[in-house]
Amino acid sequence: VPRAEIVALASSAAVILAVTEAFRAWLHVTNPTIAALSYLLIILVVAASSTLRVAIVASVVADLCLNYFFMPPVGTWTIADPQNVVALFAFLVVSLVASQLSATARASAREAIARQEELRRLLDLSRDILVSGESPDAIGALAAVIARRFDLDFAAVCLPRETTWTVSSAGRLPVRLADRELTAAFSEAERRVEFDARTRSYAGHHVLTVEGHAVRVVPLRLGTKPIGLLAAAGREVEVGTMDALAGVAAIAIERGQFLHERKEAELTRRSEELKSALLASLGHDLRTPLTAIRVAASNLESPRLGDTDRREQTDVILTEIERLTRLFQNILEMARIDAGGVGAESRWAHPSEIIAAARNQVDQTLREHGVAVAIEQDVPVRLDPRLTATAVAHLLENAAQYAPAGSVIDVGARVTGEGLAIEVRDRGPGIDAQDLSHLFERFYRGAAAKGRGVGTGLGLSIARGLLAAEGGRVWAENCADGGARFTIVVPAASKQPEAEGSVSA
Amino acid sequence: MSPEPRILLVDDEPSIQRAVGPLLRSRGYQVDVAGNGTEALRMAAERPPDLIVLDLGLPDIEGTEVCRRIRAISRVPIVVLSARGAEADKVNALDLGADDYVTKPFGPEELLARIRVALRRVLSDEKAESGQFAAGDLTIDYDRRRVVRGGAEIRLTPKEFELLSLLARQHDRVLTHRAILKAVWGPNAVEQPEHLWTLVAQLRKKVEPDPANPRYLLSEPWVGYRFATGDSDGSKGRG
């Protein structure tokens, strides 16, 4: 007998005796009807607040008190008037029925509250699942959400894999589930699909005892097909709720798989798109150099060519081979960026070195342009000079492709609190408004480049990719007095002139 | 035509200009170079060339548009340079009056062969104003609708004769499927190339010495057909 019941029993008996004493000693109530009604009131209160057992015992005590203290002759167990026997019996029956009714009402109210509580948990759980995105550990996250929402000490989602089980668990109890027991439970769930209307659940619930903990195991079903098992330990969860929970979990698992597959499909599609864009671009960029080299090479074989023409043909071949080399380098760089193979290696370097290295990389392309370099403070900065220089080289190449031959390209470098800022400004036609937002997209060529053999559509996207690897950024704008300006900013520590002597690099 | 035919080379790529220019000069042609469509149209009008080599990818005007505008004022042969894969552009240019095409990247001999054939067509056009046409052992009499091969008359259905004379009248030019279908079957038939395939097969059986290896009615895969008159027709290396 639970303690709470003993306490309730003692206190209800005490109240009955106290009321009896009050009626007899102080209020001088002798009318048995008034006493019976008062007792009935007490019994109703007891039945409503405690268990049926306590209410029954209280009813018997009240009945005895009524007989002893109020039925004439008072003070004896004898009942003189046979009518009073009926009255006592009726009192007992009424109080027992009232207790029973009250207890039933209380039980169903408690059940309703419990069900509502579980429903709320289920709703919370489904909301958690709906807002969860696709993540590598979606199943582990699901187990954690179940454990949290249902206040479980242990929750695990178990999925069969060929011969073993993948168990993702959460909760404070470190329970290990044996593959053999899981397999047994799963094969039973596969064999039997019985619906129990009373508990609103399917057959196949098991309770395993693992390391002294009772672990409930429920099949995860999509429709009626089991796809795995849900294990839970700790707070008691109603059987029907457990089944509903398993259903929600099964849907969550399926949703996770769908999301994953969709992402894969999207990735495949994007890589296909990229491949065909690459092929189209290659087709375009290879055609002219190959034609020119082929024709120029056979011209060289021809005896009908003068010396000047001959030198010209050699030059054509060298220029076009240079172009193919750049294209090849660009594709390699792009592939490296795609594969995540670009790592920044920081070291101290002067802005002037970086700009010189960049010019050096594209000196062939820059042959017909002047380059004016202005460096505000040539103090050492700590960044990856190789990546930065290559990015600047792509900006220079881009400028040379769009600015008219003979014009000057301005290159400016500035060391700021943010890092190193380098500007490349050309005297070309500027950037078309519709191109500005797409400029750094791979294979994108501005309106001015369409139909021209200019650029590969790769340079600027490579510049952006390289800078991203060292946390830098690049943007483009049109200058008020014509031409385009590209600016890159690379975060970097710098040595201000006064501190230069104190740090050795 | 002057003894040294004048060719207008239209291409915006400096490397192509610098390589193809000397190539043509070394073969005895005079060469003018234009770097864009506007310049090409101006030069074609100022100093009419004997032949135009036209790149379809120009920075200012679409190559096909240049083709159309030149055709509006002149019958000068046009050989277009097109990109592999850009079949639609090529067919468009041919429909708009270009005579032939070379696909980049091309070799020098391929281009030279196309140029020779196109120039020869102009010469034979100037010579032959009569209603007769002869190529190899084949003679076509347009007026009497008779075709003779090696002295023996070949019986052709009206459609077969129509197709043969269409190709022969514009010999050594590529006629697109579209253009042929339109001329022989009418504008509603342009989407039904199977008519053309059947008719060409029938015609080859009758006029070709070896129908499996045609020498007169040549296919230009995915583009059209041409009637070849000569030896160096450059049909090699196509496919």
Side-chain angles (χ1 to χ4, degrees):
Chain A
V1 183
R3 261 182 78 90
E5 276 191 359
I6 294 171
V7 171
L9 193 61
S11 48
S12 50
V15 169
I16 291 170
L17 292 175
V19 166
T20 309
E21 185 56 27
F23 280 181
R24 269 166 39 82
W26 299 323
L27 300 173
H28 306 290
V29 173
T30 53
N31 186 341
T33 312
I34 293 174
L37 284 175
S38 307
Y39 288 146
L40 201 57
L41 193 65
I42 295 167
I43 287 161
L44 283 179
V45 170
V46 170
S49 58
S50 183
T51 62
L52 180 59
R53 272 197 293 203
V54 176
I56 289 171
V57 174
S59 303
V60 173
V61 171
D63 198 56
L64 291 175
C65 287
L66 187 62
N67 179 4
Y68 192 83
F69 294 109
F70 294 98
M71 293 290 178
V74 173
T76 66
W77 297 108
T78 0
I79 303 160
D81 191 344
Q83 281 185 26
N84 284 342
V85 176
V86 178
L88 273 179
F89 182 70
F91 173 80
L92 188 61
V93 170
V94 167
S95 51
L96 287 178
V97 168
S99 304
Q100 171 71 41
L101 282 177
S102 171
T104 313
R106 239 168 61 86
S108 37
R110 200 178 319 128
E111 198 193 344
I113 289 169
R115 184 141 302 153
Q116 195 186 355
E117 172 72 3
E118 311 231 284
L119 261 180
R120 188 185 58 75
R121 290 172 191 268
L122 267 178
L123 277 177
D124 287 347
L125 177 72
S126 9
R127 199 162 33 227
D128 288 351
I129 287 168
L130 279 181
V131 299
S132 72
E134 199 269 338
S135 78
D137 189 33
I139 309 272
L142 176 65
V145 167
I146 291 173
R148 196 180 76 233
R149 286 297 180 194
F150 282 83
D151 293 325
L152 296 167
D153 295 335
F154 169 78
V157 176
C158 318
L159 298 176
R161 295 265 176 276
E162 308 283 323
T163 55
T164 61
W165 285 79
T166 309
V167 178
S168 312
S169 59
R172 54 176 190 83
L173 270 189
V175 176
R176 281 197 166 277
L177 297 165
D179 282 2
R180 194 170 45 77
E181 284 175 324
L182 290 175
T183 307
F186 189 71
S187 58
E188 198 211 319
E190 276 184 321
R191 273 200 320 277
R192 283 178 54 199
V193 187
E194 261 176 51
F195 188 72
D196 183 336
R198 196 177 53 79
T199 58
R200 303 185 314 283
S201 76
Y202 285 100
H205 290 223
H206 282 273
V207 178
L208 306 174
T209 307
V210 185
E211 296 154 21
H213 304 289
V215 179
R216 292 184 302 287
V217 176
V218 194
L220 292 168
R221 291 185 196 269
L222 273 181
T224 56
K225 184 183 173 300
I227 59 163
L229 297 169
L230 174 68
R235 203 181 68 91
E236 190 69 39
V237 179
E238 202 229 348
V239 180
T241 309
M242 214 40 198
D243 236 38
L245 173 55
V248 171
I251 291 170
I253 292 166
E254 200 190 27
R255 179 173 177 271
Q257 282 164 354
F258 277 148
L259 285 178
H260 180 70
E261 278 164 24
R262 201 178 62 183
K263 195 172 155 192
E264 292 278 290
E266 171 70 14
L267 278 180
T268 317
R269 192 183 61 76
R270 272 179 48 194
S271 107
E272 287 302 314
E273 264 177 17
L274 215 61
K275 260 184 228 160
S276 47
L278 177 62
L279 279 181
S281 165
L282 272 188
H284 181 272
D285 297 323
L286 288 177
R287 218 169 273 131
T288 298
L290 287 182
T291 306
I293 291 171
R294 189 163 164 190
V295 172
S298 56
N299 284 346
L300 282 177
E301 278 191 333
S302 156
R304 294 172 243 189
L305 223 60
D307 272 356
T308 331
D309 272 347
R310 215 168 274 281
R311 269 196 300 280
E312 172 99 352
Q313 299 310 300
T314 316
D315 189 58
V316 165
I317 292 172
L318 291 177
T319 309
E320 291 306 319
I321 284 178
E322 172 72 16
R323 187 155 139 183
L324 288 177
T325 312
R326 278 299 284 169
L327 176 66
F328 178 66
Q329 282 169 346
N330 282 354
I331 291 169
L332 278 190
E333 264 167 21
M334 193 185 69
R336 231 154 47 91
I337 292 171
D338 274 3
V342 181
E345 282 173 39
S346 293
R347 70 177 85 124
W348 290 103
H350 282 84
S352 56
E353 294 171 58
I354 292 168
I355 290 171
R359 289 180 66 175
N360 204 24
Q361 284 186 31
V362 285
D363 56 348
Q364 277 293 315
T365 321
L366 289 174
R367 275 191 310 189
E368 292 171 355
H369 293 82
V371 176
V373 180
I375 299 172
E376 256 175 40
Q377 285 173 297
D378 199 17
V379 294
V381 282
R382 189 164 175 81
L383 39 63
D384 186 324
R386 195 175 43 94
L387 292 184
T388 315
T390 309
V392 174
H394 282 293
L395 297 186
L396 285 173
E397 187 178 38
N398 182 69
Q401 282 163 350
Y402 290 93
S407 65
V408 173
I409 299 168
D410 289 307
V411 181
R414 210 167 59 244
V415 178
T416 66
E418 207 185 336
L420 175 65
I422 297 179
E423 278 182 11
V424 174
R425 190 252 155 103
D426 65 47
R427 306 282 163 179
I431 304 156
D432 204 284
Q434 63 181 33
D435 296 334
L436 259 177
S437 54
H438 304 287
L439 217 50
F440 295 95
E441 282 170 22
R442 186 173 295 177
F443 298 120
Y444 187 85
R445 289 178 204 232
K450 294 253 166 66
R452 284 175 64 188
V454 162
T456 58
L458 286 177
L460 292 180
S461 86
I462 289 173
R464 188 185 59 175
L466 294 175
L467 288 170
E470 50 177 342
R473 55 210 172 86
V474 55
W475 67 91
E477 64 209 309
N478 284 314
C479 296
D481 51 342
R485 174 166 51 220
F486 287 78
T487 310
I488 68 172
V489 172
V490 184
S494 59
K495 290 180 191 172
Q496 293 306 317
E498 61 272 17
E500 199 170 359
S502 61
V503 187
S504 60
Chain B
M1 196 185 293
S2 63
E4 282 196 351
R6 176 181 302 282
I7 295 179
L8 174 59
L9 171 64
V10 189
D11 196 310
D12 63 316
E13 283 287 344
S15 300
I16 299 284
Q17 295 173 0
R18 289 162 70 202
V20 175
L23 170 75
L24 298 180
R25 275 188 212 103
S26 73
R27 302 304 169 105
Y29 299 108
Q30 298 180 56
V31 181
D32 293 332
V33 178
N36 57 52
T38 320
E39 210 180 344
L41 288 170
R42 185 176 53 75
M43 290 172 78
E46 275 173 12
R47 189 154 69 153
D50 297 305
L51 183 138
I52 298 177
V53 175
L54 172 67
D55 181 38
L56 286 182
L58 294 176
D60 53 346
I61 313 176
E62 290 277 327
T64 47
E65 175 62 17
V66 175
C67 209
R68 196 185 63 77
R69 291 202 206 163
I70 288 175
R71 212 23 104 230
I73 55 166
S74 154
R75 290 185 56 201
V76 59
I78 302 174
V79 175
V80 296
L81 305 180
S82 77
R84 192 180 299 278
E87 307 293 336
D89 276 358
K90 190 154 67 190
V91 170
N92 262 343
L94 290 170
D95 277 343
L96 287 171
D99 294 73
D100 212 332
Y101 65 90
V102 183
T103 305
K104 277 185 183 178
F106 53 82
E109 289 312 320
E110 210 178 332
L111 176 65
L112 291 170
R114 299 285 136 190
I115 291 173
R116 272 199 302 277
V117 169
L119 287 173
R120 191 175 58 215
R121 190 176 68 77
V122 177
L123 283 179
S124 69
D125 275 2
E126 282 170 1
K127 277 193 302 202
E129 281 299 313
S130 70
Q132 280 226 344
F133 170 81
D137 59 353
L138 201 66
T139 312
I140 303 169
D141 188 332
Y142 296 128
D143 301 332
R144 293 155 71 194
R145 299 179 75 84
R146 264 165 50 103
V147 179
V148 175
R149 198 185 78 202
E153 183 172 348
I154 300 171
R155 298 209 155 271
L156 296 181
T157 65
K159 275 265 182 295
E160 288 166 2
F161 184 80
E162 212 178 321
L163 175 62
L164 182 64
S165 52
L166 176 74
L167 289 166
R169 277 181 203 272
Q170 308 195 57
H171 59 90
D172 295 312
R173 276 191 65 183
V174 180
L175 295 184
T176 62
H177 294 140
R178 225 183 131 76
I180 300 173
L181 285 162
K182 198 169 163 184
V184 179
W185 282 273
N188 293 333
V190 292
E191 301 302 331
Q192 291 156 321
E194 56 279 2
H195 290 323
L196 183 52
W197 300 334
T198 322
L199 195 65
V200 168
Q202 288 172 22
L203 196 53
R204 277 180 178 159
K205 271 187 206 145
K206 293 185 182 177
V207 303
E208 292 285 357
D210 176 8
N213 293 305
R215 56 172 285 201
Y216 299 120
L217 302 170
L218 303 185
S219 296
E220 293 291 334
W222 306 294
V223 175
Y225 292 97
R226 80 163 74 225
F227 190 106
T229 52
D231 33 14
S232 64
D233 51 47
S235 65
K236 58 188 186 309
R238 290 287 177 108

